[in-house]
């Protein structure tokens, strides 16, 4: 075991603070990573504040958007060497034997994938701790190669926000000429706009906030439409092949389903606090689909990182020292970030 510095949440109502974390020694198939940057995801906040059904195991060390350098490898590791730039996303292991794992869908592991934090390793006993720490040890198969062509602070959120939006775009085969609408311009939404545009789609940002029009344009959206204008919504009926819905607040799904073309699909990435109702006719007329999507598997996540390196895509970030994490949580909740906070983990060592 090795003691490393970290930041943890100790109770739901208390701020995060310093924590000495025990990491396992490097095993035969393990990679040890010095963490350089770690993104701040809204999931971190929900977990730290025990907002997901009382599932938080305290103390919890959040963080699943990790970029760093390899500092040690096990004797059986073949994919990485010391000094490589690598990433770790939302999961650190799976059974690797079930039907989904064999199909490169580890995120849907039938035996339960091991989340990067507040989860269990495959022994179902050892708790995982995330990237708000100076280093992490991860089995080789869940470590990702990161290009040095891009600024690493902007790469970190790709490990969650990037793959969460890339995966549905790839699954539903978005291509040149497709009409894609994105609902919600935040951490997920801004990545959906960038990725869909790079895939050649005609991208429209759908928003309730007129002041976001300028940002949408700078991110690569071809159009901006206000959803608060009934005339706009009527005019846009039957316009889109796919809608990527990133909103976590309660909203009317049927209003957006109405904007789909025949055989169109609306993909949910956000999780509103209460169940939403839709009428069956919203789907029946037009043979439309309402679907959901999580993250991608390891193979698809690597594909996403390579795609972003090829097209020069990173997240728009604000870099903070670790001692500003509690302030960053409040600002994230208030929507006061464009569009993702990233922690410079060098600040943890000071």
């Amino acid at each position: 075991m090795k003691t490393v510095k970290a930041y943890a949440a100790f109770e739901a109502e208390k701020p995060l603070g310093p924590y000495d974390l025990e990491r396992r020694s490097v095993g035969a198939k393990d990679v040890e990573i010095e963490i350089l940057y770690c993104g701040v995801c809204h999931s971190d906040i929900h977990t730290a504040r025990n907002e997901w059904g009382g599932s938080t195991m305290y103390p919890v060390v959040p963080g699943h958007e990790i970029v760093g350098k390899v500092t040690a490898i096990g004797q059986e590791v073949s994919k990485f060497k010391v000094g490589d730039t690598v990433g770790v996303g939302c999961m650190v292991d799976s059974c690797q034997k079930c039907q989904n794992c064999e199909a490169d869908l580890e995120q849907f592991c039938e035996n339960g994938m091991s989340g990067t934090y507040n989860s269990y390793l495959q022994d179902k006993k050892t708790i995982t701790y995330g990237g708000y720490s100076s280093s992490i040890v991860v089995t080789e198969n869940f470590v990702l190669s990161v290009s040095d062509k891009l600024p690493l602070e902007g790469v970190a959120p790709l490990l969650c926000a990037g793959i969460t939006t890339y995966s549905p775009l790839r699954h539903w085969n978005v291509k040149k000429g497709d009409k894609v609408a994105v609902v919600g311009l935040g951490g997920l939404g801004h990545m959906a706009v960038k990725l869909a545009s790079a895939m050649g789609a005609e991208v429209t940002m759908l928003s309730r906030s007129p002041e976001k029009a300028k940002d949408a344009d700078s991110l690569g959206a071809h159009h901006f439409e206000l959803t608060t204008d009934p005339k706009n919504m009527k005019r846009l009926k039957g316009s889109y092949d796919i809608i990527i819905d990133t909103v976590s607040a309660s909203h009317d799904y049927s209003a957006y389903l109405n904007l789909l073309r025949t055989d169109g699909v609306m993909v949910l990435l956000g999780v509103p606090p209460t169940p939403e109702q839709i009428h069956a006719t919203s789907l029946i007329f037009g043979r439309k689909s309402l679907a959901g999507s999580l993250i991608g598997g390891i193979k698809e996540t690597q594909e996403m990182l390579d795609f972003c390196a090829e097209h020069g895509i990173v997240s728009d970030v604000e870099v903070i020292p670790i001692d500003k994490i509690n302030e960053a949580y409040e600002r994230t909740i208030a929507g006061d970030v464009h569009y993702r906070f990233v922690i410079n983990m060098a600040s943890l060592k000071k």
Side-chain angles (χ1 to χ4, degrees):
M1 302 293 286
K2 179 180 179 180
T3 301
V4 303
K5 291 183 178 181
Y7 253 57
F10 301 95
E11 296 180 30
E13 304 298 328
K14 291 188 176 180
L16 281 73
Y19 178 59
D20 288 333
L21 173 63
E22 293 292 322
R23 293 289 192 196
R24 72 175 186 265
S25 300
V26 178
K29 298 181 179 180
D30 285 337
V31 176
E32 181 184 66
I33 303 162
E34 176 191 4
I35 300 174
L36 301 178
Y37 295 99
C38 183
V40 178
C41 177
H42 213 120
S43 299
D44 300 350
I45 303 172
H46 288 309
T47 304
R49 298 184 177 183
N50 203 19
E51 294 173 344
W52 278 346
S55 61
T56 301
M57 299 178 286
Y58 293 105
V60 60
V61 176
H64 57 204
E65 301 176 348
I66 299 166
V67 173
K69 294 283 186 180
V70 175
T71 51
I73 59 173
Q75 63 266 31
E76 295 181 20
V77 171
S78 60
K79 300 176 184 177
F80 303 98
K81 63 182 184 301
V82 172
D84 284 351
T85 305
V86 296
V88 176
C90 300
M91 53 186 173
V92 291
D93 208 355
S94 71
C95 78
Q96 301 183 59
K97 298 176 182 178
C98 70
Q99 179 175 294
N100 282 338
C101 285
E102 289 182 348
D104 297 314
L105 297 172
E106 299 94 343
Q107 73 273 33
F108 301 128
C109 176
E110 294 170 7
N111 295 294
M113 62 89 164
S114 298
T116 305
Y117 64 84
N118 198 52
S119 182
Y120 290 99
L121 293 178
Q122 290 301 296
D123 62 9
K124 305 303 179 183
K125 296 178 182 178
T126 306
I127 296 174
T128 59
Y129 297 94
Y132 295 9
S133 58
S134 58
S135 68
I136 191 169
V137 178
V138 181
T139 184
E140 175 184 33
N141 288 340
F142 285 77
V143 178
L144 297 142
S145 296
V146 171
S147 170
D148 288 317
K149 295 178 181 178
L150 302 175
L152 296 184
E153 63 271 25
V155 171
L158 299 181
L159 277 305
C160 178
I163 187 56
T164 299
T165 48
Y166 183 88
S167 188
L169 292 170
R170 287 288 288 121
H171 180 75
W172 277 278
N173 193 31
V174 168
K175 58 191 179 302
K176 185 175 181 179
D178 286 348
K179 291 192 173 183
V180 175
V182 178
V183 184
L185 187 54
L188 292 177
H190 95 287
M191 287 307 310
V193 170
K194 288 187 177 189
L195 291 166
S197 179
M199 291 175 180
E202 182 179 333
V203 182
T204 299
M205 169 54 60
L206 302 176
S207 177
R208 297 175 56 86
S209 306
E211 64 272 13
K212 291 188 176 180
K214 184 177 179 180
D215 284 352
D217 179 70
S218 67
L219 292 167
H222 302 91
H223 312 284
F224 180 89
E225 299 287 356
L226 278 178
T227 58
T228 52
D229 185 341
K231 292 182 180 179
N232 267 2
M233 296 298 278
K234 184 177 181 179
R235 175 175 56 83
L236 295 171
K237 181 179 178 180
S239 293
Y240 306 112
D241 298 295
I242 182 170
I243 296 174
I244 303 295
D245 185 346
T246 71
V247 176
S248 294
S250 295
H251 57 295
D252 183 4
Y253 289 163
S254 294
Y256 293 99
L257 287 166
N258 193 46
L259 307 185
L260 289 173
R261 292 175 167 177
T262 300
D263 289 327
V265 59
M266 176 168 154
V267 186
L268 305 180
L269 303 182
V271 184
T274 56
E276 301 296 328
Q277 291 188 339
I278 64 167
H279 199 284
T281 56
S282 296
L283 302 173
I284 291 171
F285 288 98
R287 200 163 58 191
K288 300 169 185 177
S289 300
L290 180 63
S293 185
L294 192 60
I295 55 173
I298 294 299
K299 181 179 179 181
E300 188 174 58
T301 304
Q302 186 64 62
E303 178 187 299
M304 176 274 304
L305 288 170
D306 295 342
F307 179 88
C308 288
E310 179 184 352
H311 293 273
I313 296 172
V314 292
S315 293
D316 290 11
V317 302
E318 180 178 335
V319 180
I320 59 168
I322 189 67
D323 61 8
K324 297 294 184 182
I325 188 61
N326 294 296
E327 177 185 331
Y329 274 18
E330 296 304 322
R331 287 181 57 194
T332 298
I333 293 169
D336 180 26
V337 57
H338 289 77
Y339 284 94
R340 208 75 162 187
F341 284 112
V342 172
I343 307 164
N344 181 350
M345 297 312 302
S347 62
L348 184 60
K349 302 172 186 177
K350 295 179 180 179

